[in-house]
């Protein structure tokens, strides 16, 4: 039972354009959502997060949007840079859950020159 | 700050052997976790701990054991290694809700330990 889904295994965009990564979840108890970035042979690193009481959170070039009614969130990267090429994982947690994260399967982003 | 440190980075085991993956953190985090990542899959939680002396099972605990004798260390023990345990293992830590720190939901991960069981 995949509670957090990333249906696009890969995405390719040109440098300077917008990258949009999508994530869907099924468990309505999730109330905190995070995006992690992972380079090969490294651990995931935290990128940006959003609480369920908000619908948008920005941090520089990165913006996360949350649509609770659709159980959908997306990560926008503008402008995309070659150094953004990595695997992006969506993750979710719920209050009282010991901060345990449930991860999606990841989307490989490739930013081309 | 070293953050979360995992050893070894790589290991090859024979079926039936046992080993311990080491994990230590220097951020005074109360919570610690072990995840595994299989190819094309997301990270799956094996075990977690909310403080010294307290551990609990995650989504895929079979074949593993953990202990938490100190705040800093959270070793993962594999008994009777099987090919299905071939994976990349990640240790992580976070502040606990009782530590009065904002952003407690954010986990910090180690660099991973790649284990192959042949």
């Amino acid at each position: 039972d995949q509670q957090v889904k990333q249906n696009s295994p890969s995405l390719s965009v040109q440098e300077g354009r917008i990258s949009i990564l999508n994530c869907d979840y099924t468990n309505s108890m999730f109330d905190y959502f995070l995006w992690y970035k992972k380079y090969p042979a490294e651990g995931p690193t935290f990128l940006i997060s959003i609480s369920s009481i908000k619908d948008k959170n920005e941090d520089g070039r990165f913006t996360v949007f949350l649509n609770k009614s659709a159980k959908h969130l997306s990560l926008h990267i503008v402008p995309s840079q070659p150094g953004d090429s990595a695997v992006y994982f969506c993750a979710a947690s719920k209050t009282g859950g010991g901060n345990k994260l449930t991860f999606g399967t990841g989307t490989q982003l490739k930013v081309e020159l | 700050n070293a953050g979360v440190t995992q050893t070894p980075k790589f290991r090859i085991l024979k079926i039936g052997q046992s080993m311990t993956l080491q994990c230590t953190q220097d951020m005074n985090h109360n919570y610690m976790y072990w995840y595994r990542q299989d190819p094309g899959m997301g990270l799956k939680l094996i075990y977690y701990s909310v403080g010294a002396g307290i551990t609990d099972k995650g989504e895929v605990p079979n074949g593993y054991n953990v202990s938490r004798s100190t705040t800093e260390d959270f070793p993962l023990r594999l008994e009777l290694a099987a090919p299905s345990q071939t994976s990349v293992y990640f240790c992580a830590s976070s502040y606990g809700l009782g530590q009065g720190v904002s952003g407690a939901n954010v986990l910090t991960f180690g660099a991973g330990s790649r284990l192959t069981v042949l």
Side-chain angles (χ1 to χ4, degrees), chain A residues 1-2 31-32 34 36 38 41-46 49 87 89 93-106, chain B residues 31 33 35 37 40-45 48 50 57-59 90 94-97 103-112:
Chain A
D1 177 28
Q2 190 70 27
D31 56 8
Y32 199 80
L34 307 89
Y36 278 81
K38 185 181 180 306
E42 294 184 9
T45 55
F46 171 71
S49 63
V87 177
F89 289 99
S93 67
K94 52 188 178 182
T95 300
N99 291 355
K100 292 178 290 183
L101 296 182
T102 299
F103 283 85
T105 52
Chain B
Y31 291 7
Y33 316 80
Y35 284 86
Q37 184 192 11
M41 303 295 288
L43 283 74
K44 301 285 188 185
L45 183 64
Y48 68 103
V50 298
K57 295 177 181 178
E59 191 179 352
F90 292 100
S94 74
Y95 286 110
L97 293 178
N105 312 66
V106 176
L107 275 61
T108 299
F109 283 84

Side-chain angles (χ1 to χ4, degrees), chain A residues 55-74:
Chain A
D55 55 17
K56 178 182 174 181
N57 188 28
E58 279 184 86
D59 184 1
R61 296 186 296 115
F62 303 91
T63 302
V64 56
F65 295 92
L66 175 63
N67 182 334
K68 282 180 60 180
S69 60
K71 294 191 177 67
H72 176 83
L73 63 155
S74 61

Side-chain angles (χ1 to χ4, degrees), chain B:
Chain B
N1 267 353
V4 178
T5 303
Q6 294 182 233
T7 57
K9 292 192 185 306
F10 304 95
R11 182 73 185 267
I12 298 175
L13 280 181
K14 294 183 179 178
I15 294 172
Q17 286 186 319
S18 299
M19 75 159 298
T20 299
L21 298 177
Q22 302 291 344
C23 175
T24 188
Q25 53 92 10
D26 61 0
M27 297 173 285
N28 195 34
H29 285 169
N30 278 354
Y31 291 7
M32 295 189 75
Y33 316 80
W34 274 105
Y35 284 86
R36 61 178 283 176
Q37 184 192 11
D38 299 323
M41 303 295 288
L43 283 74
K44 301 285 188 185
L45 183 64
I46 305 171
Y47 270 96
Y48 68 103
S49 168
V50 298
I54 305 170
T55 62
D56 209 346
K57 295 177 181 178
E59 191 179 352
V60 289
N62 291 345
Y64 306 95
N65 279 301
V66 293
S67 60
R68 185 96 182 269
S69 57
T70 67
T71 299
E72 295 78 18
D73 301 304
F74 190 40
L76 177 72
R77 177 90 177 154
L78 282 74
E79 304 281 2
L80 299 175
S84 61
Q85 293 178 304
T86 294
S87 189
V88 181
Y89 292 83
F90 292 100
C91 179
S93 68
S94 74
Y95 286 110
L97 293 178
Q99 290 189 274
V101 176
S102 63
N105 312 66
V106 176
L107 275 61
T108 299
F109 283 84
S113 298
R114 182 176 292 275
L115 176 68
T116 302
V117 182
L118 300 174

Side-chain angles (χ1 to χ4, degrees), chain A:
Chain A
D1 177 28
Q2 190 70 27
Q3 298 186 63
V4 178
K5 301 176 185 179
Q6 294 177 258
N7 292 320
S8 297
S10 64
L11 175 67
S12 184
V13 299
Q14 283 191 319
E15 182 181 10
R17 305 295 290 269
I18 185 171
S19 296
I20 300 176
L21 293 90
N22 294 303
C23 177
D24 298 292
Y25 62 97
T26 57
N27 190 337
S28 58
M29 297 299 292
F30 288 143
D31 56 8
Y32 199 80
F33 304 90
L34 307 89
W35 284 94
Y36 278 81
K37 177 178 178 180
K38 185 181 180 306
Y39 292 118
E42 294 184 9
T45 55
F46 171 71
L47 190 58
I48 192 170
S49 63
I50 187 167
S51 165
S52 60
I53 62 173
K54 295 185 174 181
D55 55 17
K56 178 182 174 181
N57 188 28
E58 279 184 86
D59 184 1
R61 296 186 296 115
F62 303 91
T63 302
V64 56
F65 295 92
L66 175 63
N67 182 334
K68 282 180 60 180
S69 60
K71 294 191 177 67
H72 176 83
L73 63 155
S74 61
L75 173 68
H76 292 210
I77 306 173
V78 182
S80 301
Q81 299 174 353
D84 296 330
S85 297
V87 177
Y88 289 78
F89 289 99
C90 172
S93 67
K94 52 188 178 182
T95 300
N99 291 355
K100 292 178 290 183
L101 296 182
T102 299
F103 283 85
T105 52
T107 296
Q108 172 77 60
L109 173 66
K110 183 176 180 181
V111 180
E112 299 172 320
L113 298 172

